[in-house]
Amino acid sequence: MKKFMISLALASFAMFSTAQETVSEVVVPTKAKSVVTNSFGSNWFVGVNGGVNFYNGVFMNGENIFDHVSPALDVYVGKWHTPGFGWRVAYRGLNIQPYEALSHCAFMNFHFDAMFNLCNLIGGSKAARVWNVIPYIGVGWAGRHGFDTDNNNSMTSGAFTGTLSANYGIINSWSVSKRWAINLELQGYFFRNGFSGRAGGQGHDMMWSATAGVTFRLGKPDWEATVDVPALQAIYGGIIAGLENDLNNANEQNKKAQ
């Protein structure tokens, strides 16, 4: 009887060890397109772009849009609250050139953008994804110092002037590491009629921009998938049922041996 009890104890220990190995090998199931919300300090980013502005005023005087090219600089900081939605505060500056015959006007624009990562919204967050398409819309305030029209319709040096602005755009972003990404950005702006210094008929002054630059991710840059609790409970329920069945069989064998 003593030998049988020792054998039963060894068998129980082996079964318990096997159960531990089985539990440790279980792949935790997760929900598709669902992630755990990160802390406030996670998923921040900063970036800088450089490129060109194309100014298109209501009053163009028959000039070609390429006669209105000027250098552009973007600096921004923002945060992703989910893989699909985030925001940024941005500065767009340097110059605009409303008229071919005039020098560039000093220009600045501060704007707030709501951003939507289409790749994450459609396909879910994936750490291995390299290319992301991010459209956005925003509002802001723009100012310039350049030239205005006097009573004789001739250009004179003007004072600083400002206006509300609305903007839209799309970012193509390519991740080169966990922290760094390079991006190509196309964006457009609406300003009040005459922001360039000359008012036309109806409509708004507009500007388009093309820039390229880099983005650096701050804090925790990735996302953890949400655990599928019902599926996990079903897996462990099956493991426990199997162990109970093995225990019952061992008890039956013990009764027969007695």
Side-chain angles (χ1 to χ4, degrees), residues 3-84:
K3 291 183 178 180
F4 174 77
M5 294 302 295
I6 293 174
S7 300
L8 182 60
L10 291 174
S12 300
F13 177 77
M15 184 176 67
F16 178 74
S17 300
T18 303
Q20 281 189 317
E21 292 177 0
T22 302
V23 170
S24 64
E25 292 174 359
V26 171
V27 176
V28 177
T30 57
K31 295 182 179 180
K33 301 181 183 180
S34 178
V35 298
V36 178
T37 302
N38 286 335
S39 65
F40 178 79
S42 302
N43 305 108
W44 287 85
F45 60 90
V46 295
V48 59
N49 293 351
V52 292
N53 294 324
F54 301 87
Y55 198 90
N56 183 16
V58 173
F59 187 90
M60 286 287 287
N61 197 29
E63 298 169 353
N64 189 293
I65 184 65
F66 291 99
D67 296 327
H68 299 254
V69 178
S70 59
L73 173 68
D74 292 335
V75 180
Y76 53 86
V77 59
K79 175 178 172 62
W80 290 102
H81 290 275
T82 71

Side-chain angles (χ1 to χ4, degrees), residues 169-214:
I170 187 167
I171 302 169
N172 284 275
S173 177
W174 291 271
S175 295
V176 295
S177 71
K178 187 175 182 179
R179 295 286 180 183
W180 289 95
I182 58 175
N183 49 73
L184 174 64
E185 184 170 346
L186 304 175
Q187 55 186 309
Y189 292 83
F190 292 99
F191 307 117
R192 65 171 172 81
N193 189 328
F195 177 65
S196 64
R198 285 185 177 181
Q202 296 181 345
H204 297 82
D205 283 15
M206 294 180 289
M207 184 176 74
W208 298 285
S209 301
T211 59
V214 295

